[in-house]
Amino acid sequence: MRFETKAIHTGLHIANPSKAVIPPISPSTIFEIDEGGLKEGDFHYTRLGNPNRLQFEHLIATLEGGEEAAVFSSGVAAAAAILQALKPGDHIIIPEDVYAGNRILVKEIMNRWGLESSFINMTGLETIEAHIQPNTKLIWIETPSNPLMRITDIAGVVELAKSNGIRTLADNTWPTPVNQLPLELGTDLVLHSTSKYFGGHSDILGGAVVTREKDDFFQQIRLNQKMGGAVPSPQDCWMLSRSTRTLAYRMKGHNEHTLQVVDFLKENKKVADIYFPGVKSHPGHKIARRQMKGFGGMISFLLDGNQQEAIRIVARSKLITRATSLGGVESTWEHRRSSEGDGSVTPENLIRLSVGLEHPDDIIADLEYALG
Ligand SMILES: *Cc1c(COP(=O)(O)O)cnc(C)c1O
């Protein structure tokens, strides 16, 4: 079956005895125990497992091509469960412009707990190789990166990591499995903030870890999910399954609109530079073409001007909403550095735009007015 079909049909039959075409939401926190006692795989207590959670875990694992998934109450909770599966004294390599929340998670929480980390530019394999230490246990990939849209060669990093016995993870939140399949390129794990394109409507917070195989490392992540307790509600899991049914078609729209918006921005005199892997002049374009089916819905661009000018322009839009985050049906944009806080490496004149599913002509007309 193709992606679109799997997205629509997967997970519907799991724990759905009434054969409702769309499974009901199961808000119950407890499940009646069989007279013969609890058996492996029985539902027991919702923190440990719930029908709606199992349905969504099955769906997202299938779409990423993994064996299993563990879903969480947010993307950073999923990231924390991965990092906590490492041991104090272990070392990780992670992009210097990694999603800002994950940077703070590593620096302010995990480093205090004994995890060592190197934040580096991950566009060159030689740089990554130079930072490998005997205790390096995980290489964290985020491509395209946020918000600099740098491209990392996933297959290249996997090869390097494998020859050094190191695990790899790709944060696939921005491309989604519609545009990029890291497990197919050899990574061990995929991370998602399902708050973005999976949810797709800016109304659910969630995260997920998908694993290539159910190994000991993933079993530890599963334990962190159940005993760390940052689990999503049955309602949120149900909503996420519902949103995911249309993911392929929403991503097609995001991909297509974004190419049109990029064409407009390229010609605008106020735009000094565009960070988008779909343009030929992007330094990672060749690699992006190889490992991505589409370039996604995110654009960062540098304004010909300073921070004040960038903030002023973002304030002028009438349609594009001034807000952080991404992946909703509505277009949003922001002066990114203001959102990232201390330690940000984002240029002061960078605007980050999440291109939505409004008619592209309306998005472009609003940009034309705001950049005026
Ligand atoms: C938003 C985001 C996260 C964090 O997810 P939350 O759901 O906000 O906790 C992680 N990685 C990337 C790339 C993101 O955009």
Side-chain angles (χ1 to χ4, degrees), residues 74-77 99 102 142 146 171 173-174 191-196 205-207 325-326 352:
S74 69
V76 291
Y99 167 71
N102 288 337
E142 188 182 321
N146 172 5
D171 184 337
T173 300
W174 280 31
L191 167 69
H192 274 286
S193 164
T194 53
S195 321
K196 314 295 166 57
L205 202 62
S325 198
L326 57 123
R352 197 185 78 174

Side-chain angles (χ1 to χ4, degrees), residues 50-369:
N50 170 280
N52 301 112
R53 192 160 101 208
L54 202 60
Q55 287 153 7
F56 181 58
E57 284 181 342
H58 198 69
L59 178 56
I60 193 166
T62 301
L63 296 183
E64 284 288 355
E67 187 175 356
E68 222 175 274
V71 296
F72 293 83
S73 54
S74 69
V76 291
I82 295 163
L83 295 171
Q84 287 169 349
L86 296 162
K87 296 193 183 74
D90 285 352
H91 171 254
I92 66 166
I93 293 173
I94 186 162
E96 62 185 353
D97 61 334
V98 72
Y99 167 71
N102 288 337
R103 170 170 49 78
I104 296 167
L105 170 64
V106 171
K107 290 203 165 160
E108 307 294 329
I109 300 177
M110 297 310 298
N111 287 354
R112 287 175 67 238
W113 175 84
L115 187 76
E116 295 173 20
S117 54
S118 299
F119 283 80
I120 66 165
N121 179 328
M122 304 252 309
T123 52
L125 294 176
E126 323 72 52
T127 321
I128 300 172
E129 189 166 20
H131 283 87
I132 293 177
Q133 304 176 9
N135 58 340
T136 304
K137 290 288 154 50
L138 178 73
I139 302 180
W140 189 291
I141 301 164
E142 188 182 321
T143 180
S145 71
N146 172 5
L148 299 180
M149 307 294 278
R150 288 177 179 162
I151 296 295
T152 298
D153 176 356
I154 299 177
V157 174
V158 165
E159 197 184 328
L160 180 65
K162 280 218 173 103
S163 64
N164 287 279
I166 301 168
R167 213 173 288 278
T168 46
L169 164 132
D171 184 337
N172 209 31
T173 300
W174 280 31
T176 80
V178 175
N179 287 331
Q180 182 169 280
L181 287 166
L183 296 179
E184 214 168 69
L185 295 163
T187 68
D188 299 293
L189 297 162
V190 162
L191 167 69
H192 274 286
S193 164
T194 53
S195 321
K196 314 295 166 57
Y197 290 108
F198 270 93
H201 298 73
S202 308
D203 55 7
I204 314 170
L205 202 62
V209 182
V210 184
T211 188
R212 155 187 300 287
E213 51 183 292
K214 223 169 119 180
D215 55 7
D216 290 349
F217 193 76
F218 184 74
Q219 299 292 8
Q220 183 65 47
I221 294 171
R222 175 69 78 197
L223 188 68
N224 295 347
Q225 175 203 35
K226 292 178 176 179
M227 296 303 149
V231 293
S233 70
Q235 287 83 352
D236 282 353
C237 293
W238 187 92
M239 288 271 283
L240 279 164
S241 291
R242 185 188 202 275
S243 295
T244 304
R245 309 288 175 212
T246 56
L247 178 68
Y249 296 95
R250 286 187 284 108
M251 291 316 296
K252 279 177 195 172
H254 288 294
N255 286 344
E256 189 189 302
H257 294 184
T258 304
L259 292 174
Q260 293 183 40
V261 170
V262 166
D263 280 344
F264 164 78
L265 289 174
K266 271 199 292 211
E267 302 301 323
N268 193 287
K269 286 198 294 291
K270 286 267 177 65
V271 176
D273 204 356
I274 301 181
Y275 297 157
F276 180 71
V279 296
K280 283 207 183 70
S281 56
H282 187 288
H285 179 66
K286 270 212 183 109
I287 297 168
R289 280 189 75 130
R290 205 165 63 218
Q291 66 191 22
M292 300 180 83
K293 291 194 207 74
F295 299 111
M298 296 300 296
I299 307 167
S300 292
F301 61 94
L302 298 184
L303 208 70
D304 187 10
N306 59 14
Q307 168 152 332
Q308 268 58 47
E309 180 75 354
I311 291 172
R312 194 184 67 78
I313 285 190
V314 169
R316 280 169 58 86
S317 60
K318 298 265 186 264
L319 176 71
I320 304 170
T321 309
R322 274 184 310 287
T324 193
S325 198
L326 57 123
V329 291
E330 69 291 327
S331 296
T332 55
W333 67 347
E334 64 174 329
H335 175 250
R336 184 62 192 165
R337 188 149 165 175
S338 310
S339 286
E340 290 189 337
D342 290 347
S344 164
V345 295
T346 300
E348 63 158 14
N349 56 341
L350 184 142
I351 295 173
R352 197 185 78 174
L353 170 62
S354 170
V355 180
L357 299 180
E358 303 95 342
H359 195 289
D361 292 350
D362 291 331
I363 301 171
I364 288 167
D366 192 46
L367 283 169
E368 196 161 21
Y369 171 77

